[in-house]
Amino acid sequence: MKQYVIDQLRPADYEAVKAYLDENFESSNVEGIYWIPLDQSILTEVQAEHTECQPFYFAVDLEQNFMANELLVRTKSKMRCSCMGYATEKQLNWIIQFVDAVFDKLGIKI
């Protein structure tokens, strides 16, 4: 799995990120997994056409000492579909900028 990983989180960093994700995003049934919706403006043509599959997400796995951000764009409505796949360059840049902005907002230096 391709991921953007932030490692060596300190305990206080973990707690701050967890509180932010808990407050702002949907968590899954698995502890530490969050669903972050992609901005509609960066969807591919196929993703934009698949309105029944929207919204699209990337998954975040937050653990005590790291945060792994999957670079797989997925939907929660289907297990497999042609609209799912690894992030395009535009989506990859958006995901990285999004994650970095969360850390900046929380005042966490990585």
Side-chain angles (χ1 to χ4, degrees), residues 38-40 42-54 56 73-74 82-88 91:
L38 249 56
D39 189 298
Q40 291 285 110
I42 62 169
L43 298 181
T44 66
E45 189 175 312
V46 172
Q47 290 166 341
E49 290 173 357
H50 284 220
T51 56
E52 72 281 1
C53 294
Q54 294 180 20
F56 291 94
V73 176
R74 58 175 83 216
S82 63
C83 61
M84 296 172 56
Y86 281 109
T88 64
Q91 292 168 339

Side-chain angles (χ1 to χ4, degrees), residues 54-70:
Q54 294 180 20
F56 291 94
Y57 300 88
F58 73 96
V60 172
D61 179 8
L62 180 64
E63 301 291 335
Q64 291 288 329
N65 61 347
F66 72 88
M67 178 181 181
N69 304 276
E70 287 187 358

